[in-house]
Amino acid sequence: MNDPEQSLWQTTCAETVTAPPLTADAAVDLAVIGGGYTGCSAALTAARAGASVCLLEAQEIGFGGSGRNVGLVNAGLWLPPDDIRAHIGTEPGNRLIDLLAKAPSDVFALIDEYDIACEPVRNGTLHCAHSASGLKDLQTRHAQLSEAGAPVELLSADQAGERTGSQAFHGALFDPRAGTIQPLAYAVGLVRAASQAGARVYTHSPVQTMAYEAGHWVLMTPGGTVRARSVIQATNAYHLALPETAPAYVPVYYFQYATAPLTENLRASILPRKEGCWDTGLIMTSFRLDQAGRMIIGGMGDLGHAGRVAHSGWVRRKLAELYPQLADQPFEHGWHGRIAMTSDHIPKITQIGPNALAAHGYSGRGIGPGTVFGRMTAESLLADDPSLLPVPAVSEHRENWTRVRRAFFESGAALTHLIRARV
Ligand SMILES: Cc1cc2nc3c(=O)[nH]c(=O)nc-3n(C[C@H](O)[C@H](O)[C@H](O)COP(=O)(O)OP(=O)(O)OC[C@H]3O[C@@H](n4cnc5c(N)ncnc54)[C@H](O)[C@@H]3O)c2cc1C
C-alpha cells in the first residue's frame, strides 16, 4: 500500500496550481496563513472585495485536511440543532445553524461560478443507521432538523437498502441539501479563483514567526517577509511553528481506502443515485463512489501507527459486509488525515492579536464550514466589524488532556477494528 500521506485525490485532481515560494518582501492589507478551504475562501473573498491579499502555505495547497477528506459536503455540523443551541446559546446557535444549512449551496455556487473541476454531485447524503439505537439517533436528528426547516427525509430499512444497495442498515436520514466533491480539486479551484481575483499565493512558504509592530503584522518565511494590516490563521489540524497561536484541539485520525474503478456491472447495484454515506457507529464508517466509480470506504484510525494492521483488516471485512459482491476487489489507495476535534464539536474563532483571527476545530465537518468561516472572517476583518463573524471570537480556546484523548480515540478505534476484523 502507498504512503498514507499520499491520497487518491492527488492522483485524480484535474487541475494543478503553480504557486512559487515567497522570495521577496511584500506589504498587503490581509495575510492568510494556510492553503486549505478556510484560507483559500478568505483569500478569494478579500481579493474579490478589492483588498490586497497574500496567502502563505507551508507545503502545497490542500496539504492538510482539505486534500485528504471524504468529500461529503454536508449541511450543518455533527451536532443536531438542539445541541448547538445548548452549547453556544439560542441566538448565536440559530445564526450558526442557518449559516451552515446554506453552506452546501455556497460551496456548489462557487464551484459553478469558477468552473471548478472537482467532480461535484449534489444528490444528497445518507446518514445510515448501523443499529436500532442508531435509528433512534436519526429519528431525533430528523425531528430537530425538520423543526429547524431542513428538508431531510427519514428512510425505512427497505428504502435505505434500495438507495445504498446494501442490506446492512436499519434506515437512513437523507439530506438533499448535501453532496460530494473531489476535495483536493475544490481547494485547488478556490485558490485559482483567488489568484485570478488578484490574491498573491505562495506555497512552500511556512510562516515561522509573526509579530505585531507599529500597527502592522510582520510574518517571516524562509524566503521573505510579509507586512500586513490584518492576519487570518487558517492552519487547523496541520498547524506548524507559531507556538503562541497554536490552535487547541484533539487530533483524531481518519483513514480511507479506495478500490480501482468498478465495472459497470458492479456499479449498477451500488449507490444508484451516488449519495455520499456515513453511518451512526461511534467508530463510524463512511463510503462513497468517485466519478470514475471507485468505492472509497473509511473509518477512524491512524495508518502510520501500529494499529494499521487492525484498520486494514477491518476495512476489507467491512466492505464485504456492506457489499458482498466487492469482497475480492483489491484496494489501490489507502491514506489518512488528521481531524481537529473540539470537545463541544463547535468550530472556534480565536482573536490571536489586534486585527488577527484564527479559525479551527471543524471536528470533521470542514468543507462547508471552512468555506463559510474563511469568507466571513475575511469580511469581518476588512470591515472591522466583529458582528460579521459566524460565531463570536474568543480570546483563547483550551482543550484538556489532548494526548490522552487522542490515545483513547486511537486505541478505541484499533480495538474495535481488531475485534470486528476477527468476528
Ligand atoms: C480524513 C478526513 C476526512 C474528513 N472528511 C470530511 C468530510 O467528508 N466533509 C467535511 O466537511 N469535512 C471533512 N473533514 C474535515 C475537513 O477536511 C477539514 O475541516 C478542512 O479541510 C479544514 O480546512 P482548513 O482550511 O481549515 O485546514 P487545512 O485544510 O488542514 O489547511 C491548513 C493548512 O495550513 C498549512 N499551514 C500550517 N502551518 C502553517 C504555517 N506556519 N505557515 C503556512 N502554512 C501553514 C498546512 O500546510 C495546511 O495546508 C475531514 C477531515 C479529514 C482529515
Side-chain angles (χ1 to χ4, degrees):
M1 191 53 66
N2 56 306
D3 173 1
E5 305 304 324
Q6 299 290 313
S7 77
L8 162 73
W9 309 126
Q10 289 164 310
T11 315
T12 63
C13 189
E15 204 177 319
T16 49
V17 61
T18 36
L22 180 70
T23 52
D25 294 346
V28 287
D29 297 323
L30 174 69
V32 177
I33 309 173
Y37 307 134
T38 309
C40 296
S41 170
L44 172 61
T45 303
R48 283 215 290 202
S52 58
V53 54
C54 151
L55 184 150
L56 298 162
E57 162 56 47
Q59 316 267 355
E60 298 284 352
I61 298 300
F63 174 82
S66 302
R68 303 165 187 249
N69 65 65
V70 182
L72 303 175
V73 187
N74 290 302
L77 297 170
W78 281 118
L79 299 175
D82 285 1
D83 294 23
I84 297 177
R85 292 187 199 100
H87 283 300
I88 62 173
T90 306
E91 246 180 64
N94 284 337
R95 180 157 185 267
L96 186 61
I97 291 163
D98 288 346
L99 282 170
L100 297 185
K102 294 186 206 111
S105 293
D106 296 342
V107 169
F108 286 105
L110 285 168
I111 292 169
D112 274 354
E113 184 177 353
Y114 293 105
D115 206 10
I116 300 177
C118 63
E119 309 182 10
V121 180
R122 197 173 183 188
N123 287 352
T125 49
L126 294 169
H127 191 179
C128 302
H130 77 299
S131 65
S133 63
L135 185 58
K136 275 200 177 141
D137 174 37
L138 294 186
Q139 285 160 346
T140 306
R141 286 172 186 268
H142 178 250
Q144 290 186 22
L145 286 164
S146 302
E147 208 204 327
V152 287
E153 197 185 331
L154 197 58
L155 306 182
S156 67
D158 284 349
Q159 289 170 314
E162 273 167 37
R163 296 283 276 272
T164 58
S166 169
Q167 299 312 308
F169 301 111
H170 294 238
L173 188 62
F174 172 59
D175 190 337
R177 300 168 297 175
T180 59
I181 55 171
Q182 206 281 23
L184 175 60
Y186 173 55
V188 169
L190 274 185
V191 92
R192 183 247 304 153
S195 181
Q196 285 168 345
R200 287 178 258 171
V201 178
Y202 301 99
T203 57
H204 299 286
S205 301
V207 178
Q208 295 171 314
T209 62
M210 56 187 269
Y212 194 65
E213 295 168 5
H216 278 85
W217 286 96
V218 179
L219 279 58
M220 289 191 57
T221 75
T225 296
V226 173
R227 212 174 125 79
R229 195 189 82 82
S230 308
V231 170
I232 293 176
Q233 178 181 283
T235 54
N236 203 37
Y238 284 82
H239 185 89
L240 275 183
L242 308 174
E244 302 82 12
T245 57
Y249 63 88
V250 180
V252 172
Y253 278 80
Y254 195 86
F255 65 84
Q256 295 174 85
Y257 281 85
T259 65
L262 303 175
T263 60
E264 289 291 332
N265 252 356
L266 282 172
R267 253 192 272 174
S269 61
I270 294 170
L271 291 169
R273 300 194 202 181
K274 295 201 169 54
E275 294 101 332
C277 305
W278 76 103
D279 75 6
T280 49
L282 187 61
I283 305 292
M284 69 168 247
T285 306
S286 59
F287 55 102
R288 58 162 292 188
L289 295 170
D290 72 354
Q291 188 171 265
R294 295 177 182 85
M295 168 55 72
I296 304 166
I297 175 167
M300 208 184 277
D302 178 350
L303 296 185
H305 176 271
R308 179 181 182 135
V309 177
H311 301 318
S312 58
W314 167 83
V315 79
R316 256 284 42 103
R317 186 177 162 84
K318 186 72 190 183
L319 183 61
E321 185 187 305
L322 293 177
Y323 297 107
Q325 65 272 45
L326 300 187
D328 299 327
Q329 287 295 313
F331 289 118
E332 291 196 334
H333 296 267
W335 71 98
H336 69 182
R338 197 160 57 233
I339 291 174
M341 197 72 86
T342 58
S343 299
D344 59 8
H345 294 194
I346 306 272
K348 308 297 170 203
I349 294 187
T350 314
Q351 185 86 46
I352 53 174
N355 304 321
L357 296 169
H360 88 284
Y362 304 109
S363 301
R365 279 272 173 118
I367 301 177
T371 305
V372 170
F373 274 55
R375 181 187 76 224
M376 297 181 85
T377 307
E379 286 167 348
S380 165
L381 280 173
L382 293 177
D384 204 6
D385 182 354
S387 75
L388 298 179
L389 291 173
V391 291
V394 293
S395 57
E396 193 182 18
H397 172 70
R398 285 195 187 181
E399 291 283 339
N400 296 323
W401 304 99
T402 53
R403 280 190 192 182
V404 176
R405 285 159 70 200
R406 192 222 142 153
F408 174 77
F409 278 118
E410 182 51 37
S411 50
L415 203 62
T416 305
H417 288 166
L418 193 65
I419 293 165
R420 299 238 169 105
R422 286 189 172 168
V423 181

